[in-house]
Each structure stands twice: as C-alpha cells, then as structure tokens.
Amino acid sequence: RLNGLMGVSHGFFTRIPPRTAVGICQHAKALALAATFLTAALWGRPRSRVAAAAQPGRTFSYCMLHKPPGVVSQRGEPRFESVYDLVAPAIATGRIPGVHPPATLGAVGRLDRWTSGLLLFSNNSALHRRKSGTVAKRYTVTVCGTWSDQDEPLLNLREPYRYQRKDTAMGQEVWTLPAEVSVVKSWCEPVPAEKPSWLGERTSIAICLVEGRHRQIRRLCSRAGLNLMKLHRDAVGPLKLGSLPCGEVRPLTSAEEEAICMAYKDPAWADHAADYSDANSQVGSWSSGDI
C-alpha cells in the first residue's frame, strides 16, 4: 500500500523494501501518537483518570445537536453537509465552552443521513469507548397504515435480528437484543379525492434500543413489512431532545453532564455516584413505561 501511495502521489516508481516500509509506518504511528500527547499538554487536557475525577463536569465539553435529515454524521464527507458543519459555528462563537481545539469534539455514535434527532457530542473519550450496548436510545418511527401493539408486524419488530455486515465472516454474525416497541398514536393525513383514504393512514411507533446496530431500525421495519416514512431519535439515556429547534446546538447543563456520565459509567464519575443518583433520576429520565 505504501509503494502504491508513493508511486501515485510523488512519482516514485522504485519499490521500497518491505522492511523499510514497515519502519516508515512505525515512525508515522509514533509521530501521530506524539502529536496527540503534545496537543493534550498544550491545551491542558487531563493526563489521568484521577485528574479527570478531580474536577467532575468541568474537564470535558458536552453538547447536543438536533440533527436534521439529509445531513451525514461523518467528518470530511465532501458530497453532503456534515453534522460537524452545524456544530463548528457554536464552537467558534464560544457557545460550547472549553473545546480546544474544535477537532477534539466528536459525535458519540452516529445517525444515518435521513434520520433526524438527538446527537450527543463530547471530547470525553470514556463516552466514545462505551457508546455501544450501554445506554438505551428512544426513537419515534412513522410508518404507513394503521397498526396496534398486537399486530404481527409490531410483534416482529420486537424480535431479535441477525446482524451480519458484508465484511463479517460466515458464522460470526450476531443477534441483536430484543427491542421495546409500542404504538404512540394513529392518524389519517389528507389525500386527493380520487385516491383511496387508506393511503393517508399513518402510525407513530416508539422503539427503544440498547445496541443501535448499523441501520437496525430500518432493517427491522423492512423485515416486518412496514413502509418507513420517518425515523427520529428522541432520547439518549437520560438526555431528551425537548424543544431544541432542528439544526440547533446547545451545551448540556451541569445536571445533564452528570447524568450522561453516570449512564455511560464514566470511571471519572465513579466516586460521585451517590451524590448524583437523585439528579440522574430527574434529568430527562425515562423507562419502558414511558414508551
């Protein structure tokens, strides 16, 4: 790979010996690691979990974005607008305090391009390491038709899904955990007089997931034979989107920071669990009974 890059980028057509190529790659990794530590030293990032625990809620920055549909969650995607393009102005104007440099603030998990809703951002690496299978996420799904909780498609939504990506070897696929599903409401949208009224039937369904595998809800709806119209994330653990306008960003309050760190079991907050247990139950908390 290194030979190919050198030949294409710089016109070097002489082959680099394998041992030399390995040495170059090792030096590049060492330089990248040194740059990371240098950035941390210059910007005052904590060097240990003890230092992080010394100032709970003040070491890292946290914010939430109401992601609009049509925006991707990846960095450096030239074809589409990115969620980082929406967060950058808030950082530049100081609305998200303590973020230095802006590139260290990353999305905790992702939403696909056409899914809207709550997306959490932080430079706390503990949240990124524990982002899968630790915190429940609540979604609202809009599908065509009128459905009840006992209909076959909704029972199908609750069942585990065999998840296997293209690069997964045979026999290494995984089964997702069951989802909590409940009908929120049904309604009928207006349709032209010459068309049947059932074309306007809609049902809103609340789905609670813990894992959040790649396009899991869309795959579940496809398996159940449901025509998915809209997918929206309402909550991540104790955080609720609330009335935040679409496309807007806001920093988390101190109580929300404490609650989300406890939800993700950040080691820096382990000594403060007793102090913040009451706050966690009051800041946007919800359970399956709310669905």
Side-chain angles (χ1 to χ4, degrees), residues 271-286:
D271 296 335
H272 306 276
D275 298 336
Y276 301 127
S277 58
D278 294 337
N280 295 342
S281 62
Q282 297 175 3
V283 182
S285 60
W286 59 277

Side-chain angles (χ1 to χ4, degrees), residues 84-106:
Y84 294 94
D85 298 328
L86 302 177
V87 176
I91 297 174
T93 57
R95 291 165 52 197
I96 311 300
V99 183
H100 301 291
T104 63
L105 192 70

Side-chain angles (χ1 to χ4, degrees), residues 12 42 44-45 72-73 80 84 104 119 150 170 175 181 192 203 207 228 242 245 286:
F12 298 156
L42 290 175
R45 296 285 299 280
V72 298
S73 300
F80 310 108
Y84 294 94
T104 63
L119 191 59
Q150 301 305 317
M170 184 62 65
W175 286 89
V181 180
T203 300
I207 301 180
L228 180 63
W286 59 277

Side-chain angles (χ1 to χ4, degrees), residues 20-38:
T20 305
V22 171
I24 293 174
C25 293
Q26 290 177 346
H27 283 296
K29 290 182 179 179
L31 288 174
L33 186 61
T36 301
F37 280 103
L38 180 60

Side-chain angles (χ1 to χ4, degrees), residues 1-288:
R1 180 178 296 179
L2 182 61
N3 276 291
L5 291 174
M6 294 293 288
V8 172
S9 301
H10 304 287
F12 298 156
F13 297 97
T14 57
R15 181 173 179 80
I16 300 175
R19 184 173 299 180
T20 305
V22 171
I24 293 174
C25 293
Q26 290 177 346
H27 283 296
K29 290 182 179 179
L31 288 174
L33 186 61
T36 301
F37 280 103
L38 180 60
T39 302
L42 290 175
W43 292 103
R45 296 285 299 280
R47 298 183 179 180
S48 67
R49 292 181 179 177
V50 175
Q55 292 184 334
R58 300 182 182 274
T59 304
F60 301 107
S61 296
Y62 307 84
C63 68
M64 69 168 64
L65 166 70
H66 186 165
K67 177 188 173 298
V71 178
V72 298
S73 300
Q74 297 87 346
R75 294 182 187 267
E77 176 56 66
R79 296 175 300 169
F80 310 108
E81 186 180 16
S82 170
V83 292
Y84 294 94
D85 298 328
L86 302 177
V87 176
I91 297 174
T93 57
R95 291 165 52 197
I96 311 300
V99 183
H100 301 291
T104 63
L105 192 70
V108 182
R110 292 181 179 180
L111 294 174
D112 66 48
R113 184 185 173 193
W114 296 111
T115 300
S116 61
L118 193 158
L119 191 59
L120 175 65
F121 285 81
S122 177
N123 51 3
N124 185 347
S125 60
L127 271 62
H128 295 271
R129 290 194 299 268
R130 293 166 174 78
K131 64 186 178 183
S132 177
T134 55
V135 177
K137 291 92 175 175
R138 173 177 170 172
Y139 299 82
T140 299
V141 177
T142 302
V143 298
C144 292
T146 301
W147 307 98
S148 66
D149 289 328
Q150 301 305 317
D151 287 337
E152 184 64 26
L154 268 74
L155 296 177
N156 199 325
L157 282 180
R158 298 181 175 92
E159 295 299 321
Y161 178 84
R162 190 177 71 172
Y163 177 77
Q164 181 180 17
R165 301 193 68 170
K166 293 181 179 178
D167 55 353
T168 303
M170 184 62 65
Q172 294 182 357
E173 65 269 13
V174 296
W175 286 89
T176 62
L177 296 175
E180 296 185 19
V181 180
S182 179
V183 171
V184 178
K185 63 177 180 178
S186 297
W187 72 97
C188 189
E189 295 183 351
V191 295
E194 64 274 10
K195 294 185 178 181
S197 60
W198 58 264
L199 290 177
E201 294 179 355
R202 300 288 185 269
T203 300
S204 180
I205 305 171
I207 301 180
C208 175
L209 297 177
V210 175
E211 293 175 299
R213 300 279 182 175
H214 180 65
R215 301 178 68 86
Q216 180 176 347
I217 292 181
R218 296 186 184 275
R219 296 183 183 193
L220 287 173
C221 290
S222 177
R223 185 186 67 176
L226 295 172
N227 187 2
L228 180 63
M229 303 294 294
K230 182 180 179 182
L231 178 56
H232 181 82
R233 181 194 278 175
D234 299 306
V236 175
L239 301 181
K240 285 187 176 180
L241 190 60
S243 59
L244 184 66
C246 186
E248 291 296 320
V249 184
R250 74 165 178 86
L252 301 190
T253 64
S254 298
E256 288 173 331
E257 291 181 9
E258 296 158 7
I260 196 61
C261 285
M262 289 300 303
Y264 275 91
K265 299 180 175 61
D266 182 359
W269 292 86
D271 296 335
H272 306 276
D275 298 336
Y276 301 127
S277 58
D278 294 337
N280 295 342
S281 62
Q282 297 175 3
V283 182
S285 60
W286 59 277
S287 63
S288 59

